[in-house]
């Protein structure tokens, strides 16, 4: 596993973004782990988060695209942090864009924040985490309503590696259904690999009991493709 992935896993733990316990996902699944990017709350944290996203985006898409789009609301700071990091790390001035939940009818009118989207724009979408893949169904119509654009793919922070609407992983379903490439900073398999029975800051984050619960979750909801 690359060093930056290990750093990111520990960064999520430090920020309280990656939690273990009893949770219910947006899709209604009871899960022993939860990822909430709303717990990145300082400028320093967002700067580091943007750098991790930039590494993952660059590794999958390079910088040969025009717009990084983050769906409201959590995607708004992600686009800003990631485009700043891409500029600093790779010298590419990518435009950022997000949507509003409600169309603004005065001043800077419309549904978009940040850069306008133009015909011919190549767009990468950035999100926090995809569980069942439902959010992409809302995002693509927004993009395509702006003109003749080309959505290239999706980058998330954590690939939960569980089934989407069928038996394949949510990210794999997105690739197959929409022709998008997908990537993540880390997968849950990498999270477990790095934290299981390993002491971090004086405690074992994933012990045998928690590992059993995670295994049981994946026995029920794990994707057939193993992603």
């Amino acid at each position: 596993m690359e060093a930056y992935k290990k750093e990111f896993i520990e960064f999520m733990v430090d920020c309280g973004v990656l939690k273990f316990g009893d949770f219910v996902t947006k899709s209604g699944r009871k899960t022993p782990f939860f990822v909430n990017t709303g717990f990145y709350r300082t400028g320093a944290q967002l700067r580091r988060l943007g750098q991790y996203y930039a590494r993952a985006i660059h590794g999958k898409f390079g910088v040969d695209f025009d717009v990084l789009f983050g769906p409201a609301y959590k995607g708004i700071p992600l686009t800003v942090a990631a485009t700043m990091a891409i500029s600093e790390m790779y010298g590419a001035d990518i435009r950022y864009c997000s949507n509003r939940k409600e169309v603004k009818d005065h001043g800077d009118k419309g549904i978009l924040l940040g850069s306008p989207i133009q015909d011919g724009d190549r767009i990468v979408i950035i999100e926090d985490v995809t569980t069942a893949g439902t959010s992409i169904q809302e995002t693509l119509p927004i993009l395509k309503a702006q003109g003749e654009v080309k959505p290239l793919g999706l980058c998330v922070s954590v690939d939960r590696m569980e089934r989407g609407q069928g038996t394949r992983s949510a990210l794999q379903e997105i690739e197959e259904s929409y022709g998008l490439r997908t990537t993540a900073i880390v997968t849950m398999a990498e999270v477990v690999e790095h934290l299981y029975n390993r002491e971090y800051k004086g405690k074992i984050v994933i012990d045998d009991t928690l590992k059993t619960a995670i295994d049981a979750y994946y026995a029920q909801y794990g994707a057939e493709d193993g992603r």
Side-chain angles (χ1 to χ4, degrees), residues 42-87:
T42 72
Q45 290 172 350
L46 284 176
R47 185 173 186 273
R48 284 188 65 186
L49 177 63
Q51 292 169 347
Y52 291 124
Y53 266 112
R55 289 283 298 270
I57 290 168
H58 183 264
K60 187 72 173 184
F61 304 102
V63 292
D64 191 24
F65 64 97
D66 304 296
V67 178
L68 187 65
F69 182 86
Y73 288 105
K74 288 182 180 179
I76 296 173
L78 298 183
T79 59
V80 175
T83 51
M84 290 176 67
I86 290 170
S87 174

Side-chain angles (χ1 to χ4, degrees), residues 82 107 143 146 177 207:
L143 297 178
Q146 309 309 311
S177 298
D207 57 16

Side-chain angles (χ1 to χ4, degrees), residues 88-201:
E88 292 172 354
M89 297 168 66
Y90 303 110
D93 201 18
I94 304 296
R95 288 150 41 211
Y96 78 90
C97 182
S98 296
N99 65 295
R100 296 181 172 96
K101 289 289 188 179
E102 303 83 19
V103 177
K104 188 177 178 184
D105 60 3
H106 61 281
D108 181 19
K109 296 180 180 181
I111 197 171
L112 300 183
L113 297 166
S115 172
I117 295 177
Q118 305 163 356
D119 286 348
D121 278 343
R122 299 158 299 171
I123 303 172
V124 173
I125 301 164
I126 184 172
E127 292 189 359
D128 54 350
V129 62
T130 296
T131 300
T134 53
S135 62
I136 200 74
Q137 299 172 11
E138 301 172 358
T139 300
L140 286 178
I142 294 171
L143 297 178
K144 293 181 178 180
Q146 309 309 311
E148 295 296 324
V149 301
K150 185 177 181 181
L152 300 179
L154 168 69
C155 180
V156 299
S157 61
V158 180
D159 179 358
R160 289 181 60 102
M161 302 177 64
E162 58 193 80
R163 294 197 307 271
Q165 303 301 313
T167 60
R168 309 296 295 276
S169 73
L171 292 185
Q172 185 64 31
E173 287 182 351
I174 288 170
E175 290 186 354
E176 294 174 352
S177 298
Y178 303 104
L180 301 176
R181 290 181 289 160
T182 64
T183 192
I185 303 174
V186 294
T187 67
M188 272 308 297
E190 290 171 328
V191 170
V192 173
E193 174 189 339
H194 185 56
L195 295 179
Y196 176 49
N197 274 346
R198 175 180 175 271
E199 187 173 296
Y200 178 64
K201 292 189 174 179

